Amino acid sequence: MTAGDGGGPEAASFLARLRAFEGRPAVTGGRGKDPVNAAMIRHWCEAMGDENPAYTGPDAVAPPTMLQAWTMGGLSGHGGRSDAYGELLALLDAAGCTSVVATDCEQEYLRPLRLGDTVTFDAVIESVSPRKATRLGTGHFVTTRMDVFADGEPAGTHRFRILKYAPAALPDPVGPAPARPRRPRPVVNRDNQGFWDGIREHRLLIQRCTSCTALRFPWLPGCNACASLEWDTVQACGEATVFSYVVMHHPPFPAFDPPYAVALVELAEGVRMITNITGVPHDRVRIGMPVRLEFLRVDEDLELPVFRGGSEA
């Protein structure tokens, strides 16, 4: 049987085998490799651009969204793993569901994580869905629930959902090659219309709060520093440096040719934006590399701000 088979008794029997794993432990007595510490909190906040003072100083707490970070095993992995989760994935592999993609996660926070807290956790296979057909392929959603404890006290719950699926077959090419897909269109609304108006004029505009002068990007209806709704704009000079980046290899998306670099750049004005890097091969992009704004004509009605690296930056 494969994941692409139709319904009927055989499919029902297979689903029953999958659901027999529900409620079985995936991790028992897991233990974070490090206590909650200032260095990890600092790295997280720098990457997220979060300057909340609650996350600094001797009485700092960890950002709530770091909940899962304290449970990660790194390259060397964790002890305490049960066989059930591996057996479930092996059963899906044998049924043709050999690909996997993470789909979403949900977190519930019960108490702050403080410096020095020892993090422990247990995880259970919470649910396996009936067979679902998606654009990626057909398969089953698997949800695990992790209960996280700090010095023995409940600290939060993390639910993580993946899709284990059989990849959809690609059609055989027949006749002339199809037209190249267009890039996805940006969502333009009343909150960011001015930004896209500026792009059409080859101007990269940054919002500035007229109450506290804080700059903000992306565009928002109100100031995230003082909550004022009054603002004007300043034009970026076009100079920036690469703050962080990833190289996209897989999965492929229509209108994009992997591998390519997607970067978080820090503008000279101090705000950051996500963009593509042009002018240098993807494997030569580096953190700290200077880049310069240019405008890329994607098609007849879409132009995007990108940043060029290399000697011309």
Side-chain angles (χ1 to χ4, degrees), residues 7-88:
E10 188 176 1
S13 174
F14 182 66
L15 179 59
R17 293 175 63 194
L18 296 177
R19 286 189 160 167
F21 287 90
E22 292 180 345
R24 295 181 61 182
V27 179
T28 301
R31 188 180 181 90
K33 291 199 167 181
D34 298 283
V36 176
N37 63 85
M40 286 179 66
I41 294 173
R42 176 173 57 83
H43 290 314
W44 178 279
C45 290
E46 287 179 356
M48 297 298 177
D50 193 337
E51 299 178 356
N52 191 319
Y55 306 146
T56 61
D59 298 321
V61 298
T65 48
M66 284 189 76
L67 183 68
Q68 186 191 19
W70 308 105
T71 70
M72 291 181 172
L75 296 178
S76 58
H78 264 304
R81 303 285 182 182
S82 74
D83 294 333
Y85 194 68
E87 292 171 1
L88 172 59

Side-chain angles (χ1 to χ4, degrees), residues 258-276:
Y260 54 92
V262 179
L264 180 66
V265 300
E266 185 164 90
L267 306 186
E269 291 74 17
V271 298
R272 299 170 188 162
M273 66 178 290
I274 295 175
T275 183
N276 286 121

Side-chain angles (χ1 to χ4, degrees), residues 205-231:
L205 300 178
I206 304 168
Q207 280 183 310
R208 176 176 57 191
C209 176
T210 55
S211 295
C212 71
T213 72
L215 300 180
R216 63 181 186 261
F217 193 91
W219 282 36
L220 296 169
C223 179
N224 50 7
C226 74
S228 171
L229 300 178
E230 304 301 322
W231 56 272

Side-chain angles (χ1 to χ4, degrees), residues 176-191:
R180 180 178 176 83
R182 298 203 314 167
R183 279 207 188 198
R185 306 289 98 174
V187 175
V188 181
N189 54 39
R190 64 181 183 178
D191 291 330

Side-chain angles (χ1 to χ4, degrees), residues 9 29-30 34-35 37 54 65-66 101 103 107 121 144 160 167 175 177 201 234 239 279 282 287 304 312-313:
D34 298 283
N37 63 85
T65 48
M66 284 189 76
V101 62
T103 60
Q107 292 185 336
F121 54 94
T144 55
F160 192 71
E201 299 169 359
V234 296
E239 303 291 339
H282 67 274
I287 291 174
L304 297 174
E312 298 179 12

